[in-house]
Amino acid sequence: MTTATQAWTRRHILSLMDFSVAELDMILQTAASFREVLFRKMKKVPALQGQVVTNMFFEPSTRTRSSFELAAKRLSADTMNFAPGSSSLSKGETILDTAKTYLAMGTDIMVIRHKQSGVPQAIAAEMDRINSGVSVLNAGDGLHAHPSQALLDLFTICRVVDPEKPRCEVVKGKKIAIVGDVIHSRVARSNIWSLTAAGAEVHLAAPPTLLPELFRELAVGTNRKLFVHWQIDEAIADADFVMTLRLQHERMTDHLLPSLREYHRGFGITAERLKSCKPEVKILHPGPVNRGVELASEIMDHPALSLVSEQVTNGVAVRMALLYLIGSSKANQYSHS
Ligand code: NCD
């Protein structure tokens, strides 16, 4: 892992839009070694001993928050958790002042989730402006990005192809369908960048109300392979992986779908539908799942098809890798943020 830290140059991880294959491979390789740690009897390493990781989740979260907390603990960092309901935010404190309060307590890494796109970036900019040296990790901001989720998805997909040595090369040319509420999904947006950078063919599928044509333009003028479908069939035909997304009712301001039953009929992932995929197809879902809406219950629980639990396990290893790469290169000279 020494090579990895020597080459790591980012202080913050805010989006995957400009991540190179070399950087993605560094994360995959680091996560692979931490995954081994998680299966030992002694599941802890001293890598971030003495550093403080603060989880600042301004929006509800189960798995991402717990996963970051466990990842930090497995690296022997001290952790603090911020919960907006019981905080001074309700007394009118601004988010930047909340961040500065945690900085004053010695925070080294801030893990930030907010329902508004751009909040992690704003905090990172302020931390840089005052030369704090603090790193910001985006744990999901509005519709914008969810880098750690997309990286754990990439890691999970790569491990299916080569469990020993997960790396971008193994997903080159693989067909990956992302089906569901793309318009409201920061997970989809981050996955588009990482999967296409790794050389996979990404096929988005949803009704037009959940998948505007604009998505096609993300890849224009690049060699990224990104396709948009308003019917599911072409998207999943011969697919190696199908990633389903939750219908995000809390972000829907209008009635974008005739009914949930209608949606399930058109885009739900069922055993019948999967017959058109590759025989060894695997299913991913970032969670939480609306069972029977975007994903049939029997598929979600199917041990040979579903990667859902594997994604959760891998999430801890990938988040350890991100905290480690950022935290242990703090002494290095950063070439860019
Ligand atoms: C996702 C999120 O919050 O963006 N979930 C997660 O982080 N595991 C997706 C979702 O909420 O549907």
Side-chain angles (χ1 to χ4, degrees):
M1 279 187 288
T2 343
T3 352
T5 48
Q6 273 167 1
W8 189 258
T9 53
R10 287 179 196 260
R11 172 175 297 163
H12 312 295
I13 297 180
L14 302 170
S15 145
L16 300 179
M17 199 171 172
D18 60 349
F19 266 55
S20 66
V21 170
E23 287 175 300
L24 295 172
D25 276 342
M26 224 180 281
I27 294 165
L28 295 171
Q29 182 200 328
T30 313
S33 45
F34 284 133
R35 195 178 185 283
E36 277 170 33
V37 173
L38 297 178
F39 287 89
R40 288 188 202 153
K41 194 146 187 274
M42 174 62 188
K43 302 182 182 62
K44 223 171 160 128
V45 288
L48 290 193
Q49 205 157 35
Q51 292 208 31
V52 178
V53 176
T54 302
N55 277 322
M56 297 165 64
F57 279 61
F58 298 91
E59 190 194 59
S61 163
T62 315
R63 65 211 82 212
T64 306
R65 198 186 57 73
S66 311
S67 183
F68 265 114
E69 186 173 356
L70 188 59
K73 287 183 166 150
R74 295 279 189 243
L75 294 168
S76 306
D78 293 317
T79 57
M80 287 194 281
N81 280 302
F82 159 86
S86 55
S87 75
S88 287
L89 273 187
S90 53
K91 299 182 189 167
E93 181 173 83
T94 69
I95 290 173
L96 283 182
D97 284 338
T98 305
K100 284 182 185 166
T101 302
Y102 282 106
L103 169 66
M105 285 187 221
T107 296
D108 297 287
I109 301 177
M110 294 180 182
V111 179
I112 298 172
R113 166 169 290 198
H114 200 283
K115 69 173 193 305
Q116 191 65 47
S117 302
V119 167
Q121 196 178 342
I123 295 178
E126 180 63 9
M127 290 297 136
D128 288 348
R129 193 187 65 78
I130 60 176
N131 284 320
S132 68
V134 161
S135 290
V136 173
L137 248 164
N138 181 2
D141 64 328
L143 310 182
H144 170 238
H146 194 346
S148 66
Q149 178 68 45
L151 292 166
L152 77 87
D153 293 335
L154 178 66
F155 182 66
T156 303
I157 289 171
C158 290
R159 280 197 82 255
V160 169
V161 189
D162 188 347
E164 296 307 315
K165 205 165 174 266
R167 60 201 187 282
C168 289
E169 191 188 293
V170 301
V171 295
K172 209 168 184 163
K174 295 281 182 210
K175 179 170 179 180
I176 303 177
I178 302 182
V179 183
D181 190 356
V182 177
I183 193 171
H184 298 110
S185 180
R186 52 195 176 207
V187 175
R189 285 177 177 80
S190 284
N191 264 297
I192 288 171
W193 298 122
S194 45
L195 292 172
T196 55
E201 249 188 40
V202 174
H203 292 253
L204 307 174
T209 46
L210 300 182
L211 178 54
E213 205 170 342
L214 266 177
F215 273 82
R216 217 196 290 272
E217 286 165 29
L218 293 178
V220 169
T222 70
N223 56 4
R224 295 176 188 262
K225 298 195 173 67
L226 181 66
F227 306 88
V228 167
H229 307 268
W230 293 301
Q231 302 283 340
I232 195 170
D233 302 341
E234 265 183 52
I236 63 169
D238 286 319
D240 298 277
F241 295 91
V242 177
M243 185 182 294
T244 59
L245 300 170
R246 184 174 68 90
L247 281 182
Q248 304 205 11
H249 303 287
E250 76 278 18
R251 296 190 211 276
M252 289 191 192
T253 45
D254 282 310
H255 295 285
L256 297 176
L257 295 166
S259 75
L260 293 185
R261 200 143 50 120
E262 190 70 11
Y263 175 80
H264 184 69
R265 217 187 353 250
F267 290 90
I269 300 301
T270 58
E272 188 52 36
R273 260 211 171 115
L274 292 182
K275 287 181 184 158
S276 73
C277 303
K278 291 256 171 66
E280 61 279 10
V281 67
K282 301 275 186 231
I283 311 301
L284 296 102
H285 193 302
V289 176
N290 296 306
R291 281 178 183 262
V293 180
E294 64 261 3
L295 185 57
S297 251
E298 76 266 19
I299 301 295
M300 174 164 170
D301 300 328
H302 196 299
L305 285 173
S306 170
L307 293 173
V308 174
S309 302
E310 189 62 23
Q311 285 173 277
V312 177
T313 304
N314 290 340
V316 179
V318 167
R319 292 179 173 116
M320 283 173 83
L322 299 180
L323 293 169
Y324 170 78
L325 287 169
I326 278 176
S328 57
S329 34
K330 280 209 170 295
N332 296 353
Q333 198 62 37
Y334 291 100
S335 59
H336 59 280
S337 61

